[in-house]
Amino acid sequence: MTATLYGYSFLDEFVLLYPVYALLFSDTGLSVWQISSLFALWSITGVLLEVPSGAWADAVSRRLLLWLGPLLTAAGFALWVIVPSYWAFAAGFVLWGAGGALGSGALEALVHDELDRLGAADRYARVMGRARASGLIAVMAAMGLAGPVFAWGGYPAVGTASVLACLLAAATASRFPEHRTPPEDDDNWAATLRAGLAEARADRSVVGALLLVPAVTAVWGALDEYTALLVRDFGVPDESVPYLLLLIWAGATAGSLLAGPAERLGTAGFAGLLAGAALALAVGATASSVAGIGLVALAFGGFQLATVLADARLQDRIDDSRRATLTSLAGLGTELATVATYGAYATIGATAAHSTAFAVFAVPYLVTAALLAAGRAARR
């Protein structure tokens, strides 16, 4: 299963369109407002489908959703390069958002259940950390290959490569083992959703784990979209920006690979991890030097590690039959918090430098670390 998981995670992120799709939109004649509306549509699709798709994954085969998702994404990318226009881009983002929502929750639930069946549920953080690292390596590889492929064949070439990667991801997903038996036909997805929400309300530890996932994941996930602007503000030439972005991605990849050794971190250790990463982010962002970028990479590594560990904590606290539903509920929280972060960043960035905005967004992590530490002290 792990070989299939790592291959799926790589192919799902090996999208050569990633570094150039904004250029495609601009070259097609879209305005900044139109491009922004596409990003908003993408986020809204994820918000609307996140929890229902998780409930569906608990009601039917999770493997089914994992191979169906990349097929929808492939169709969206094909639309972009075959009939490039605003409405084709919009339809593509809806398909991409739907494809991502189908896999969110279903993947984590399938992996945890299969490991649990083998008596290896305690390896979940290690396995998922390596899977996330595989996806990050794919992103870096796509960034490196997009330039040469684009120079050779333009948007059709990078689009075709992206569609093929999605099709290969779907084929790989069909090889996932799944020994779980879906519920009876009368236990439909709506009933599954209601039962999952009831479980969350009934257990305070589940509520805490659900809230921790977006608290850890959303802010740094949104900041990633602005790292190129931060690096350029350091005085780095435009042609060197991609190489320094690779350094930041390498930091996040290292964080994923450390999930195994770090999975025994207690609450105090987890709080310390968040606080240390937040300080590295604030100091690195305001250093205005290449060394500062190294600290930002270190911070992103810490946040990525915390993201994997927060997911593992959630999986430890929820019931197998509602696992995808509640994981998707955490994903919904992350999506909403990410959108809020975009809005807050736009407000701060309108009057302050990117370095200042990054430093400000270290504060939520310090607050989360303090709340974790206070909660641990109160339980003594």
Side-chain angles (χ1 to χ4, degrees):
M1 183 196 69
T2 54
T4 301
L5 172 64
Y6 302 153
Y8 176 83
S9 297
F10 183 92
L11 291 167
D12 194 47
E13 296 290 349
F14 189 62
V15 178
L16 270 64
L17 273 168
Y18 279 164
V20 299
Y21 64 67
L23 300 179
L24 170 62
F25 303 156
S26 180
D27 290 347
T28 305
L30 269 62
S31 66
V32 173
W33 182 90
Q34 287 176 311
I35 294 173
S36 298
S37 70
L38 291 175
F39 292 151
L41 179 62
W42 189 19
S43 296
I44 291 169
T45 302
V47 167
L48 293 177
L49 298 181
E50 182 75 37
V51 175
S53 67
W56 191 24
D58 280 332
V60 299
S61 165
R62 292 161 180 168
R63 180 174 56 196
L64 168 67
L65 271 62
L66 289 174
W67 67 255
L68 180 60
L71 293 180
L72 294 179
T73 304
F77 291 158
L79 277 176
W80 286 5
V81 295
I82 294 173
V83 285
S85 63
Y86 179 82
W87 293 111
F89 297 146
F93 268 124
V94 170
L95 289 169
W96 191 1
L102 290 180
S104 177
L107 179 64
E108 293 85 351
L110 184 148
V111 171
H112 190 281
D113 284 357
E114 290 301 313
L115 287 174
D116 189 40
R117 184 183 66 85
L118 298 172
D122 59 337
R123 296 186 59 206
Y124 176 81
R126 182 186 304 269
V127 170
M128 289 305 295
R130 291 174 178 174
R132 303 303 184 201
S134 178
L136 291 169
I137 291 170
V139 171
M140 292 189 288
M143 291 173 65
L145 287 175
V149 173
F150 182 78
W152 171 70
Y155 295 118
V158 293
T160 300
S162 300
V163 169
L164 288 175
C166 292
L167 295 178
L168 288 173
T172 303
S174 69
R175 299 183 59 83
F176 273 118
E178 186 177 23
H179 294 83
R180 165 184 170 271
T181 302
E184 298 297 327
D185 291 339
D186 59 348
D187 190 13
N188 59 30
W189 75 267
T192 302
L193 176 58
R194 289 193 296 271
L197 294 175
E199 179 183 341
R201 289 193 298 268
D203 191 334
R204 290 182 62 185
S205 69
V206 173
V207 173
L210 282 170
L211 294 174
L212 184 61
V213 172
V216 169
T217 307
V219 172
W220 83 272
L223 290 181
D224 172 61
E225 301 294 338
Y226 302 97
T227 50
L229 300 175
L230 174 70
V231 170
R232 188 169 63 180
D233 273 6
F234 282 6
V236 175
D238 285 355
E239 60 271 18
S240 300
V241 169
Y243 301 110
L244 293 173
L245 292 181
L246 286 175
L247 174 62
I248 295 176
W249 280 102
T253 302
S256 284
L257 294 174
L258 289 172
E263 60 189 346
R264 290 185 176 86
L265 277 179
T267 300
F270 192 90
L273 171 65
L274 283 181
L279 292 174
L281 178 66
V283 174
T286 54
S288 298
S289 67
V290 175
I293 297 171
L295 284 175
V296 173
L298 178 64
F300 273 42
F303 294 142
Q304 175 65 27
L305 172 57
T307 296
V308 176
L309 296 179
D311 172 50
R313 286 174 174 237
L314 175 62
Q315 301 304 326
D316 285 343
R317 288 166 171 77
I318 54 182
D319 180 74
D320 290 350
S321 63
R322 319 297 178 202
R323 189 173 302 280
T325 301
L326 292 177
T327 303
S328 290
L329 188 62
L332 173 62
T334 299
E335 292 280 357
L336 292 173
T338 299
V339 173
T341 303
Y342 286 144
Y345 194 101
T347 301
I348 296 170
T351 56
H354 292 289
S355 58
T356 302
F358 269 68
V360 168
F361 281 106
V363 174
Y365 286 109
L366 293 174
V367 172
T368 301
L371 291 173
L372 288 170
R376 179 177 181 272
R379 287 191 296 271
R380 285 183 171 180

